[in-house]
Amino acid sequence: MSRVRADACPGVFATHDAADGPLARVRLPGGVVPAAQLRALAACAEDFGDGDVHLTSRGNVQLRGVRLAGLAGRLAEAGLLPAPAHERVRNVLASPLSGIHGGVADVRGLAAELDRELCARPALAELPGRFLFAFDDGRGDIAGEGADVCWRAVTPSSGAVLLAGLDSGLAVSRAEAVSALVTVAEAFARVRGPAWRIGELDDPSVVLPDGPRAAPEVRSCRVDPTVGRIGQAVGVAPRFGLVTAAQLRVLAEFGDAVVTPWRSVLLPGGAEVERLHEAGLSTDPATAEITACIGAPGCAKSLADVRADARTVTPRGARVHVSGCARRCGRPSGAHHDVVAEGGGYRVDGQWTPASGLADALARKVLA
């Protein structure tokens, strides 16, 4: 694929001009957010944005309608902008439940280690803002998120390197995982030409240190629930990934948090569920089943107020994503019902229905 326009992936210094004002994206490598940074984000949302923080499908956060003067300085003071030149390329996923519940290996700490290595290499600041790193603890949750390069555990101490979601045939130890991902990223930066993603290369294996390899069988992927009580942890699912500043401060009461790629927030140390519910934070996994882009009026390209329409849909044990236009921003990578606004109604898995019939149309799809 040949890109004909510049990479416009937003950050803090290069914002996106949305209909409701500039949008700034703040990267959270591995999704890990200490309590102090949760409070800092809450203050930034109130002082510089619309008062809310919006979770993304890459485990990052966005501030909408921002006033830029002073924002970068405040984020830097909180440790959320450790290397301004690299801020748009610090895209790192990691299995949120690793070391807490399940998984083959403990990948905690690898995202932070990679982030330090990434920020220490000036050449990697030129990576496209869509380039994505990942660490999967062997359960397969993150391996299915379409990362450009991912280390997936096979045993507690060894794993496989995946390129664009497929096993490359390169096996490395956990101790070498960060180095292997950095090596692949450096190679991609040298050979990418107009490509933004490894999957766009004619031969993705050119980024491997020793050239092409015979790839073994691809293992299946799944997403474990990250909402509700999971071992000692508690996960919450903010409706449509929107968290108010007040809710962020409640989350901070329970210590560090992990933002997942599925727009949920995990509290590894546990939490008082009643307190979360009082703050309007759901611990019901069904809340995470229905997602939607920002829609109108926040996005000028949206053909509908998709969040208002999505609120009419009842969760029925299947994932649903409602999009305001054919770009399908924020759609999940896994299996889901695809709902796209079109001409006064929606296309539900390709079949048109009026907006008033959206809930019934989805009910028929799920129950069929």
Side-chain angles (χ1 to χ4, degrees), residues 72-215:
R74 185 80 67 81
L75 291 171
E77 288 174 8
L80 289 161
L81 278 177
H86 293 75
E87 60 116 358
R88 292 199 310 153
V89 302
R90 300 169 61 239
N91 302 302
V92 189
L93 299 181
S95 297
L97 286 166
S98 189
I100 301 168
H101 184 78
V104 175
D106 188 344
V107 300
R108 288 179 298 180
L110 290 180
E113 182 183 345
L114 174 62
D115 188 37
R116 290 191 294 271
E117 292 294 322
L118 176 64
C119 293
R121 288 168 165 75
L124 293 184
E126 301 305 315
L127 284 173
R130 287 171 173 78
F131 193 91
L132 181 61
F133 300 89
F135 296 98
D136 188 299
D137 68 0
R139 76 185 72 217
D141 55 349
I142 292 301
E145 290 299 310
D148 290 274
V149 57
C150 171
W151 182 82
R152 177 172 177 169
V154 177
T155 73
S157 60
S158 66
V161 173
L162 280 61
L163 298 179
L166 299 177
D167 201 323
S168 70
L170 174 63
V172 300
S173 69
R174 182 190 184 282
E176 299 170 322
V178 168
S179 176
L181 268 58
V182 168
T183 298
V184 167
E186 289 177 327
F188 177 73
R190 290 193 299 269
V191 306
R192 73 181 184 90
W196 290 350
R197 309 293 306 275
I198 280 182
E200 296 170 8
L201 297 176
D202 291 336
D203 179 9
S205 69
V206 299
V207 301
L208 294 174
D210 299 319
R213 297 167 182 263

Side-chain angles (χ1 to χ4, degrees), residues 152-316:
R152 177 172 177 169
V154 177
T155 73
S157 60
S158 66
V161 173
L162 280 61
L163 298 179
L166 299 177
D167 201 323
S168 70
L170 174 63
V172 300
S173 69
R174 182 190 184 282
E176 299 170 322
V178 168
S179 176
L181 268 58
V182 168
T183 298
V184 167
E186 289 177 327
F188 177 73
R190 290 193 299 269
V191 306
R192 73 181 184 90
W196 290 350
R197 309 293 306 275
I198 280 182
E200 296 170 8
L201 297 176
D202 291 336
D203 179 9
S205 69
V206 299
V207 301
L208 294 174
D210 299 319
R213 297 167 182 263
E217 181 180 353
V218 177
R219 291 174 292 276
S220 61
C221 299
R222 71 177 191 276
V223 177
D224 289 344
T226 55
V227 181
R229 291 192 180 276
I230 309 135
Q232 68 178 20
V234 173
V236 301
R239 191 75 180 272
F240 303 130
L242 186 152
V243 191
T244 67
Q247 289 172 333
L248 279 177
R249 293 189 177 97
V250 170
L251 293 174
E253 293 175 9
F254 303 103
D256 300 348
V258 179
V259 176
T260 81
W262 311 293
R263 294 186 174 86
S264 60
V265 180
L266 191 69
L267 299 169
E272 298 173 11
V273 172
E274 295 77 9
R275 176 74 176 116
L276 297 173
H277 292 174
E278 289 173 359
L281 291 163
S282 173
T283 57
D284 181 358
T287 308
E289 291 178 3
I290 301 169
T291 58
C293 70
I294 194 66
C299 176
K301 289 182 169 60
S302 181
L303 302 177
D305 185 347
V306 296
R307 293 193 171 183
D309 292 334
R311 287 187 179 92
T312 68
V313 178
T314 302
R316 297 178 184 273

